[in-house]
Amino acid sequence: MQIVTRKSDIKELLNQCTRVYDLSGIAAFLKELESQILSKKVKFPLLEFCGNELYQKIKIEEQIDLCDKIEEQKTEGGNVILGIILQNRLDINFEQSIKKATEYISKANVWYVCDIIGERVYGYSLLKNPDKTIPLIKKLSNHETNWVVRALGAGIHYAIKKGLDKENIELVFPILLSMANTKDKEIKQGIGWAAKTTAKFHPEIIEQFDKKIQNQDNVANWFRAKISIGLNRNKYAKGN
């Protein structure tokens, strides 16, 4: 498989694709995108660049159809591109972007779909618009598909890592706690990741919720173990 690591190379490949779009439309463009980019191993930052460029160049009314078709191809890189397109569309149609992200994640056939889209849509939305996003996260935490719930953990991890303020983390952490007794492997992966990141960046929040965290009837040992890892990383970062 060809590997693409330079921005100059991805720009040229993307230009070939958009020329086809201008000349022949979205269906021909999709085939060219698969041939020139999605069939290659491309670094994620370069795929994010593609997503941002395509958001600018593809007609707004054709973008969701494009994302649908990319999802159907089930390529790893395609998840990055459609995630960035949906991320850009949050300001245009917030509800639609969240709904489509949830749809794509629920169709996942491998774990990385959840994490790629979860970070770029749920996580970005939580970071930039917590007031609208937190109620949706709470609702989606009861979603019937475990992939979606795992993706929430990836999104919360992303938002905290990127600087979500303490006040909103205090609102999100109880949602994590509500899932802290699950036995589902995928949910444990995502929620545990978010819990670990909370502890690493905001140990004071862990202290605030310590009584609930130590409740062994509601919180499983795996959740406390993730908290411990995060607290240890916080101490290490401080040189303690």
Side-chain angles (χ1 to χ4, degrees):
M1 180 182 288
Q2 183 179 345
I3 301 174
V4 182
T5 60
R6 296 189 303 179
K7 194 170 185 179
S8 58
D9 292 338
I10 202 66
K11 279 184 174 181
E12 178 54 36
L13 294 173
L14 191 60
N15 285 338
Q16 292 179 41
C17 295
T18 54
R19 282 196 291 269
V20 170
Y21 173 71
D22 292 336
L23 291 170
S24 305
I26 195 73
F29 162 78
L30 187 69
K31 292 180 180 179
E32 193 72 9
L33 182 69
E34 196 282 329
S35 173
Q36 297 296 340
I37 295 175
L38 297 181
S39 63
K40 298 176 172 64
K41 187 173 180 60
V42 183
K43 287 189 172 182
F44 277 19
L46 299 181
L47 291 167
E48 291 182 335
F49 168 78
C50 289
N52 284 315
E53 289 292 300
L54 292 178
Y55 173 73
Q56 298 294 330
K57 293 179 178 180
I58 301 297
K59 295 175 184 177
I60 288 178
E61 61 269 23
E62 293 183 322
Q63 289 174 359
I64 293 298
D65 183 52
L66 172 63
C67 289
D68 287 345
K69 294 297 193 299
I70 291 175
E71 186 278 329
E72 289 172 4
Q73 293 183 338
K74 303 292 186 186
T75 63
E76 183 175 5
N79 294 297
V80 179
I81 291 175
L82 68 84
I84 293 296
I85 292 173
L86 291 179
Q87 181 185 108
N88 278 286
R89 290 178 60 89
L90 284 165
D91 290 334
I92 298 175
N93 194 327
F94 178 84
E95 288 77 13
Q96 184 190 51
S97 290
I98 297 294
K99 182 179 178 181
K100 293 304 293 188
T102 303
E103 176 189 327
Y104 299 149
I105 293 165
S106 69
K107 294 178 178 178
N109 57 3
V110 66
W111 63 267
Y112 59 68
V113 177
C114 315
D115 297 357
I116 290 171
I117 301 177
E119 287 193 15
R120 286 161 182 79
V121 183
Y122 297 154
Y124 183 89
S125 181
L126 175 59
L127 182 65
K128 298 298 182 180
N129 200 339
D131 291 344
K132 290 178 72 173
T133 309
I134 291 173
L136 284 172
I137 288 176
K138 187 173 183 179
K139 181 179 179 181
L140 288 171
S141 69
N142 294 309
H143 198 278
E144 61 185 3
T145 305
N146 61 351
W147 293 125
V148 173
V149 184
R150 173 180 173 135
L152 296 177
I156 294 168
H157 154 78
Y158 172 90
I160 294 172
K161 183 179 70 172
K162 294 295 184 179
L164 182 65
D165 59 274
K166 179 183 175 183
E167 290 74 17
N168 282 303
I169 301 172
E170 288 173 340
L171 297 176
V172 169
F173 192 74
I175 303 175
L176 298 177
L177 277 172
S178 74
M179 297 178 278
N181 211 21
T182 184
K183 293 179 172 59
D184 186 283
K185 173 180 175 291
E186 300 303 333
I187 297 175
K188 286 163 67 174
Q189 289 281 347
I191 299 310
W193 193 14
K196 181 170 60 179
T197 303
T198 304
K200 178 181 178 181
F201 288 96
H202 290 278
E204 71 280 4
I205 292 179
I206 302 304
E207 184 177 355
Q208 178 182 334
F209 286 93
D210 184 64
K211 186 175 180 179
K212 291 183 177 180
I213 293 169
Q214 299 308 324
N215 185 328
Q216 296 191 14
D217 292 330
N218 297 327
V219 177
N221 286 331
W222 64 262
F223 190 88
R224 280 186 288 274
K226 294 296 184 180
I227 293 288
S228 295
I229 293 170
L231 292 174
N232 287 334
R233 290 182 179 177
N234 176 268
K235 291 178 182 178
Y236 181 80
K238 291 180 176 179
N240 295 332

